[in-house]
Amino acid sequence: MRAAAVKPITISDADFLKFREFFYRKTGIHFDDNKRYFVDKRLVERIEATGSENFRSYFIALRFEAKGEELQQLVNLMTVNETYFFRESYQFDCLVKDMMSEVARRKRPGGRIRIWSVPSSTGEEPYSIAIYLLERWAQIEDYEVEILSSDIDTNVLNAARRGVYSQRSVSNLPKAYLEKYFTRLNEHEWKIQRELVESVEFSHVNLAEAVETRRFRDIDIIFCRNLLIYFDDLSRRVAAEAMFDALHPGGFVCLGHSESMSRISSLYQVRRFADAMVYQKPLEESGL
């Protein structure tokens, strides 16, 4: 007697809409219809991994789980983390030529300058910031510079803390920097210096959750590149306002080349420097 065939797990149109709305409320990330295959594939993967019978049983468990561990598994699967060292380096040029010096002029000698990189992805951006400052900002010894870096994906945060990178990831680095700040592990991998890992404070954060962003205050420069393109208009405004609240008056925000704060929020002023256009929290906030 032949065993009954196992019915494949499918995601209906109604299932997709239910999940899309739930995921949006939890993360601020909106999936367009053209992401349907991407979402369905990862949902089926988690349904099978958890031993759920179908989408309905999985979704009920997901919604009512107390610790949020399965939601975090989904977040890690659903977020895209494509990056490399010195990506869009013109903004790092702007950082060391203009933004840092302007921020420093408002500080006392030896004062603290705080830079926040969100999302951290696997660490290439915050470590690029650290290398740029060490190599190209002449006043690095005169101030206490803190680099904070956050992401909603716990897997990439763990990868960032490990600091092991592929040849492709480091391909834009000058050879001198690669030899100075990395150790070659094998033909395909490089490990960043432990001192650089320890110079960045990594943390989990969801920009759509106000309770998680409140701990970020007195930030001088924020790099938030290629994240808001995954949000809808409302979530973008929420994120923009969270960053505005986190910034010290006169602080700067750098967005990705295809993103524009002017279309999201009127809170910021546009600043055009030689290398990049960035967005600034008005100094009037402090009464200066």
Side-chain angles (χ1 to χ4, degrees):
M1 185 174 180
R2 186 178 298 174
V6 177
K7 187 177 180 180
I9 294 170
T10 58
I11 309 298
S12 70
D13 292 347
D15 294 340
F16 173 74
L17 293 175
K18 280 181 185 177
F19 174 76
R20 180 169 72 176
E21 194 271 337
F22 170 80
F23 198 77
Y24 168 73
R25 283 191 287 106
K26 292 293 186 180
T27 68
I29 298 172
H30 173 74
F31 292 117
D32 291 330
D33 291 342
N34 60 10
K35 294 288 186 180
R36 175 68 186 272
Y37 175 77
F38 171 87
V39 172
D40 284 8
K41 184 177 180 182
R42 280 151 182 79
L43 271 176
V44 169
E45 182 178 332
R46 290 311 303 165
I47 291 169
E48 293 175 343
T50 56
S52 301
E53 183 179 351
N54 50 37
F55 173 83
R56 183 177 181 276
S57 61
Y58 173 78
F59 192 57
I60 290 171
L62 176 68
R63 288 175 59 206
F64 292 103
E65 69 165 348
K67 295 183 179 180
E69 293 176 353
E70 180 56 28
L71 176 61
Q72 186 62 60
Q73 290 286 344
L74 269 176
V75 167
N76 293 355
L77 273 178
M78 296 288 183
T79 49
V80 179
N81 297 285
E82 176 86 19
T83 188
Y84 48 86
F85 282 87
F86 286 18
R87 184 179 186 181
E88 296 180 13
S89 61
Y90 61 90
Q91 289 184 335
F92 300 137
D93 292 330
C94 183
L95 173 72
V96 296
K97 293 179 184 177
D98 298 295
M99 287 188 284
M100 289 295 290
S101 299
E102 186 167 320
V103 167
R105 286 196 293 270
R106 296 193 292 269
K107 306 284 183 180
R108 293 188 178 92
R112 184 177 66 171
I113 297 176
R114 308 188 85 202
I115 302 172
W116 185 20
S117 166
V118 55
S120 73
S121 187
T122 44
E124 286 91 336
E125 179 172 277
Y127 293 140
S128 292
I129 292 169
I131 293 170
Y132 248 79
L133 292 175
L134 288 168
E135 292 292 330
R136 305 189 186 186
W137 193 51
Q139 295 174 272
I140 187 65
E141 299 294 337
D142 301 330
Y143 295 88
E144 179 189 349
V145 179
E146 291 184 359
I147 301 176
L148 315 175
S149 195
S150 309
D151 206 289
I152 196 172
D153 184 337
T154 54
N155 286 340
V156 298
L157 286 169
N158 290 334
R161 294 184 183 105
R162 286 196 300 272
V164 175
Y165 296 99
S166 67
Q167 182 64 46
R168 178 189 175 279
S169 183
V170 301
S171 60
N172 280 2
L173 284 168
K175 184 179 179 182
Y177 293 0
L178 190 58
E179 293 175 350
K180 184 175 181 179
Y181 294 107
F182 294 78
T183 300
R184 187 158 202 159
L185 299 179
N186 52 54
E187 186 179 351
H188 305 290
E189 292 182 313
W190 296 79
K191 185 174 179 62
I192 200 164
Q193 274 186 354
R194 178 50 48 184
E195 289 80 4
L196 275 184
V197 174
E198 293 172 352
S199 74
V200 179
E201 180 182 328
F202 290 101
S203 64
H204 178 271
V205 75
N206 180 353
L207 275 182
E209 291 287 345
V211 69
E212 295 190 22
T213 58
R214 286 193 196 109
R215 69 181 186 270
F216 294 92
R217 290 295 181 266
D218 297 322
I219 305 295
D220 294 294
I221 299 169
I222 298 175
F223 282 81
C224 182
R225 307 192 299 178
N226 307 308
L227 172 65
L228 301 184
I229 55 175
Y230 298 104
F231 290 1
D232 70 350
D233 290 343
L234 176 59
S235 297
R236 289 188 190 108
R237 284 196 298 273
V238 169
E241 289 168 7
M243 289 187 285
F244 188 86
D245 291 341
L247 280 172
H248 196 277
F252 300 102
V253 175
C254 299
L255 298 181
H257 71 275
S258 64
E259 299 168 311
S260 171
M261 187 67 80
S262 302
R263 295 196 292 267
I264 301 170
S265 171
S266 60
L267 292 171
Y268 297 83
Q269 297 174 340
V270 176
R271 287 294 304 275
R272 290 180 172 85
F273 293 109
D275 293 292
M277 182 177 74
V278 301
Y279 303 92
Q280 185 174 31
K281 179 173 181 174
L283 272 168
E284 296 87 84
E285 291 289 318
S286 65
L288 296 177

